[in-house]
Amino acid sequence: MVSRRNFIKAGAALSLGSIFSASALAEQLKVKMSNGSVMQTKGSIDKSAALPTNDVTNAKHYRPESIMGLGGLAAGNGFNTISSDAEILTMLNAAWDSGIRHFDTSPFYGLSLSERRFGDLLRNKKREDYVLSSKVGRLLTPSAEPLENSWHWADHSPFHYKYDYSASGTRRSIEDTLHRIGVASLDIVYIHDLSPQNSDMGDDWLKYFDQAAKGAIPELTKMRDEGIIKGWGFGVNTPHAIYKALDMSDPDICLLALQYSILDHKQALDKTFPMLDKRGVSAVIGAPLNGGFLAGRNRFNYSPKIPGPMQQKFNAINDIASKHGIDIKTAALQFAEAPSTVSSIIPGARTAEQIKANVASMKVTIPREFWSELKSKQLIAENAPIPT
């Protein structure tokens, strides 16, 4: 096994070659999105290196061994982009063949579409050979009528959803997930989308949290203690529920989406990570590329509106990355996995080419001078861990 902190050892940086300006690069990728082109990984790639792994020997709570996993939002036709079953299965096979063994999905992604598609791959694999996580909090019911608010799911499965964080709803949600994927067990279960950022909830998220505190939290704790699952936590876009839960329960692992990236990481470093560290809880980082923005997509997180300060920071980091012979996507992925609190990153993918590019990025040697320059220009926090 290649250890987490020692796998990036080989090679010197390649020469710069042809360099696009940040604005030209964004326009280039925006035009090519429809044919599946991806930002090409630059730098010295050790093609013989395996994907890095965690040392889980003395972990207080369950911690997946694989550093790099796969998020399932795109497999649910996220971002209003339709992909065929065949295209997603090709992507999933590429992930498996590249060594990815950590898969995260949700009933909400395409209203079961992502789970079903993940099952097309995983039901044919030995269950002990991979880590699988999904989520609870929404129950699906069949309906021929399209959702009034379809979120960003294009051509989603014919279901509606209702929120249910009760103990019985949690059990039913897990059982439904297992049927859809076609497997016998989950490793990790996240309580999903308990956040004021969830537009369905707003300030009412506290009412749903109270339901989870009496239902989902003790039920998942019981399932963990019975050995039915290995760990549970929260899968959220803001950390409010995690802060509350740490005071009254014992989660194992939390999925932080949109909360730790090379562009936006101060709150996680200063507050969230220390709270998790104190209790031996690890973090899985969702959307480490800010919903594709750091890979050149014309969106930030889940919105087509790109905040001006984020665009400016992207341009500045991209210019420095180009000077050092690497690409910003590679820097972003390695930055996201560097903290010891982080057990895994789970960037999404729609195509096999995106998978291959992401895996290649984890095998690039990034010059230490690159990180020093980012800190000296205050583009990343001074206390931000960097890959070593």
Side-chain angles (χ1 to χ4, degrees):
M1 291 290 182
V2 181
S3 71
R4 176 186 182 87
R5 302 301 172 198
N6 296 312
F7 80 102
I8 307 175
K9 292 293 186 184
L14 293 178
S15 61
L16 297 184
S18 298
I19 305 294
F20 288 107
S21 70
S23 59
L25 177 62
E27 285 301 311
Q28 179 88 350
L29 291 168
K30 180 179 176 182
V31 169
K32 290 185 176 181
M33 274 180 62
S34 61
N35 66 16
S37 294
V38 298
M39 179 185 288
Q40 295 303 308
T41 300
K42 296 187 297 182
S44 178
I45 303 172
D46 182 359
K47 295 182 179 180
S48 65
L51 284 172
T53 58
N54 285 307
D55 179 2
V56 298
T57 306
N58 297 313
K60 176 180 178 182
H61 293 292
Y62 176 71
R63 188 178 180 116
E65 184 175 301
S66 300
I67 295 293
M68 189 178 199
L70 174 66
L73 187 147
N77 286 350
F79 304 114
N80 292 306
T81 302
I82 296 176
S83 299
S84 68
D85 291 346
E87 182 179 24
I88 295 300
L89 183 57
T90 298
M91 177 274 292
L92 290 168
N93 276 301
W96 186 272
D97 292 344
S98 297
I100 290 174
R101 295 293 185 271
H102 179 173
F103 300 88
D104 175 75
T105 183
S106 168
F108 187 47
Y109 298 162
L111 302 185
S112 81
L113 184 59
S114 176
E115 288 186 327
R116 178 177 62 78
R117 285 171 161 176
F118 271 40
D120 290 340
L121 172 79
L122 297 178
R123 69 172 58 98
N124 298 312
K125 305 298 184 184
K126 292 181 179 179
R127 183 62 191 84
E128 63 271 20
D129 287 348
Y130 60 89
V131 171
L132 177 61
S133 59
S134 193
K135 305 176 179 74
V136 297
R138 293 180 179 90
L139 294 178
L140 304 183
T141 55
S143 177
E145 298 296 324
L147 280 176
E148 183 177 343
N149 174 14
S150 62
W151 294 78
H152 41 66
W153 313 122
D155 197 21
H156 61 73
S157 297
F159 294 96
H160 285 191
Y161 66 88
K162 65 176 181 179
Y163 289 98
D164 190 333
Y165 295 95
S166 68
S168 60
T170 295
R171 286 270 180 176
R172 177 185 160 186
S173 180
I174 291 172
E175 290 171 0
D176 289 350
T177 285
L178 296 177
H179 284 300
R180 284 190 291 263
I181 300 177
V183 295
S185 64
L186 296 174
D187 296 296
I188 305 167
V189 176
Y190 297 114
I191 301 171
H192 200 197
D193 278 349
L194 272 176
S195 168
Q197 187 255 10
N198 182 342
S199 60
D200 277 345
M201 296 181 180
D203 291 339
D204 286 341
W205 79 272
L206 288 169
K207 297 178 182 178
Y208 289 103
F209 182 91
D210 288 342
Q211 185 185 43
K214 298 172 184 175
I217 289 176
E219 190 69 11
L220 291 172
T221 300
K222 179 181 178 182
M223 294 175 74
R224 178 192 63 194
D225 294 345
E226 292 173 348
I228 297 172
I229 61 175
K230 295 177 181 176
W232 70 272
F234 288 82
V236 285
N237 295 339
T238 64
H240 301 74
I242 295 172
Y243 296 162
K244 286 180 66 67
L246 287 173
D247 288 333
M248 45 79 66
S249 65
D250 186 32
D252 302 279
I253 185 169
C254 289
L255 170 52
L256 310 182
L258 314 180
Q259 296 170 63
Y260 193 76
S261 74
I262 200 169
L263 296 178
D264 186 7
H265 49 266
K266 181 173 175 54
Q267 183 176 14
L269 284 176
D270 293 347
K271 184 175 182 179
T272 309
F273 285 0
M275 291 180 70
L276 295 177
D277 290 341
K278 185 177 180 180
R279 295 162 176 82
V281 177
S282 69
V284 172
I285 302 302
L289 299 177
N290 291 112
F293 179 61
L294 287 161
R297 302 297 184 270
N298 196 34
R299 61 175 179 259
F300 183 81
N301 294 345
Y302 303 141
S303 172
K305 297 179 181 179
I306 300 172
M310 293 295 101
Q311 183 66 63
Q312 293 168 13
K313 188 179 282 191
F314 174 96
N315 293 345
I317 295 175
N318 189 62
D319 287 344
I320 295 171
S322 296
K323 184 177 75 172
H324 287 279
I326 58 172
D327 60 280
I328 191 171
K329 178 198 68 184
T330 289
L333 289 175
Q334 292 197 26
F335 178 88
E337 71 85 22
S340 59
T341 311
V342 174
S343 55
S344 302
I345 61 172
I346 50 168
R350 195 181 305 279
T351 67
E353 289 75 21
Q354 290 170 345
I355 287 287
K356 293 172 185 176
N358 287 347
V359 169
S361 286
M362 300 303 290
K363 301 179 180 182
V364 170
T365 300
I366 297 180
R368 179 170 288 273
E369 292 76 16
F370 166 75
W371 302 112
S372 298
E373 186 168 354
L374 293 189
K375 290 190 175 185
S376 69
K377 295 183 177 178
Q378 298 183 333
L379 291 169
I380 62 173
E382 182 61 36
N383 63 333
I386 61 173
T388 58

